[in-house]
Amino acid sequence: MKPRKSRRAPFAPLNGYGWFAVQAGFAGLLTLGNWGSYDRPWLVVLAALASGVIAGVPLSARWSRTLIGDVATLGWIGVMALVGTQISPPVGELSALWPATAAAFMMGLLAMIGRWHTAWAMTLILIVQGVLWGMTRDLSAAVAVEQMGLLTAPVAGTVYRFVMRRARRREATARQEEAAALEEIGRMASQAEARREYRARLARQVGPILARISSGEELTAAERTECRLTEAALRDAIRGRGLATREVSEAARAARERGATVALIDDRRVECTDEVCRNVLTATRETLEQAGDGDNFVARLLPIGRRNVATVLLVHADGEGVRREFAMPPSGDPADGALERPPVELGD
């Protein structure tokens, strides 16, 4: 089986080598403390080193949450059997059978990372093994039943696993709700800013003319034309806000002065600041420069989530024209700029 590589160990920064050192050190200290309880202590020392490998493999970055990591835990059965055979009656301290305690602790850690099926299966096997070992060493029933204490670690690890998973789900939901709320606040703030800008531009651009109208003065043809152009520019600032930059607004005004009908539409509902929109703005300005008397021009930023991000359409008075469409770049990164599809020529 090909191992699945992980970026981080389950309990990083402590990796498989770290758990090898922790387990081998723990087993080594208990072996030294019970040196006289073993028939051949050096075999127990080898078992201590082997236990370090068995503990480190399932908790390493390379083998955690894999079948190989689960199978490695079977090594605890052999280590416990080896150490148990080296303890001759009468049994002194139960700490001499350190693989039981060490394996239970490791099973608790496996339960914490989601391998609770493996952890519980191995714990039950080790409990049975420990009880049988105690019976062969003439231990009392009460002492043998103490092996049930091995369940403490996997129980704690399993509870931690399910409680923390639920907490993480609630945290993820809360973050999504917060992001949605911030987006809505931003949209409302953007709309409020647009309204303030609209009122300011209205007062600045048509305030004097409105004052003349209210006084009963007759407007000249040039002033009426200026009012229509100003009204169209103000409409662009609201309906096509993301497109109504200074350069595009100037090009739209010039096209309208030449007799073209211009519509700028922004359906994105967010600020148009990425490279995708900048490319569309350039195309909008270039196409507006080709609009003349009787032509119809429409530039639209499409809602987020569409396959295309924008459409620029120019239809001449004779029915001919061009449609330019823009899509997200293949990389999916807006910084790479919009991908313009081949232009579609309208008419014959």
Side-chain angles (χ1 to χ4, degrees), residues 87-94 96 133 137 139:
I87 304 174
S88 301
V91 178
E93 296 290 337
L94 283 179
W133 173 82
R137 295 301 185 274
L139 295 179

Side-chain angles (χ1 to χ4, degrees), residues 26-321:
F26 169 76
L29 290 175
L30 287 181
T31 299
L32 292 176
N34 295 279
W35 192 267
S37 300
Y38 305 118
D39 294 337
R40 285 171 289 183
W42 292 109
L43 281 179
V44 182
V45 171
L46 293 178
L49 295 175
S51 70
V53 175
I54 297 170
V57 169
L59 299 178
S60 65
R62 183 180 180 85
W63 301 110
S64 66
R65 302 182 180 91
T66 66
L67 180 60
I68 291 179
D70 291 344
V71 171
T73 60
L74 294 173
W76 286 110
I77 299 174
V79 170
M80 188 165 172
L82 175 60
V83 175
T85 58
Q86 298 304 309
I87 304 174
S88 301
V91 178
E93 296 290 337
L94 283 179
S95 61
L97 192 65
W98 52 260
T101 303
F105 175 71
M106 291 300 166
M107 294 307 105
L109 295 179
L110 288 181
M112 289 174 63
I113 65 174
R115 313 303 284 186
W116 59 274
H117 295 90
T118 300
W120 277 90
M122 282 302 306
T123 301
L124 293 176
I125 291 173
L126 293 174
I127 288 176
V128 173
Q129 187 179 10
V131 171
L132 293 176
W133 173 82
M135 293 172 61
T136 61
R137 295 301 185 274
D138 298 326
L139 295 179
S140 65
V143 175
V145 172
E146 287 183 8
Q147 299 296 324
M148 297 296 293
L150 299 180
L151 287 171
T152 302
V155 166
T158 303
V159 171
Y160 174 87
R161 169 70 179 180
F162 286 100
V163 170
M164 289 305 297
R165 183 193 298 180
R166 187 178 305 172
R168 285 195 295 268
R169 283 199 297 263
R170 286 198 294 264
E171 181 183 4
T173 301
R175 288 185 175 179
Q176 291 174 356
E177 293 176 350
E178 181 183 6
L182 290 175
E183 182 178 352
E184 180 65 17
I185 291 173
R187 185 182 66 82
M188 295 173 63
S190 178
Q191 291 178 346
E193 181 181 351
R195 286 192 293 269
R196 287 193 298 270
E197 181 180 348
Y198 178 84
R199 289 193 293 267
R201 292 180 62 179
L202 181 64
R204 183 173 61 253
Q205 297 181 20
V206 303
I209 295 178
L210 292 176
R212 290 185 56 190
I213 294 175
S214 63
S215 65
E217 295 185 30
E218 186 71 22
L219 297 180
T220 65
E223 289 173 333
R224 292 178 183 275
T225 300
E226 180 64 25
C227 286
R228 286 194 296 270
L229 293 173
T230 300
E231 185 275 333
L234 293 172
R235 188 179 346 109
D236 291 342
I238 295 177
R239 188 66 184 89
R241 188 178 182 214
L243 292 166
T245 63
R246 183 176 61 83
E247 294 81 3
V248 171
S249 295
E250 291 175 354
R253 180 186 175 94
R256 287 173 175 134
E257 289 176 343
R258 294 192 297 268
T261 300
V262 177
L264 304 180
I265 304 172
D266 182 2
D267 288 330
R268 283 172 59 95
R269 291 191 174 184
V270 295
E271 292 292 337
C272 187
T273 57
D274 54 39
E275 188 65 33
V276 167
C277 289
R278 284 195 289 272
N279 289 356
V280 174
L281 293 175
T282 300
T284 300
R285 189 177 64 253
E286 293 173 351
T287 309
L288 274 170
E289 293 174 353
Q290 304 171 19
D293 187 23
D295 295 347
N296 285 285
F297 173 89
V298 178
R300 184 188 180 197
L301 292 174
L302 300 174
I304 294 177
R306 297 280 187 89
R307 185 175 65 174
N308 288 344
V309 297
T311 301
V312 177
L313 176 67
L314 175 62
V315 181
H316 297 297
D318 57 6
E320 297 184 354

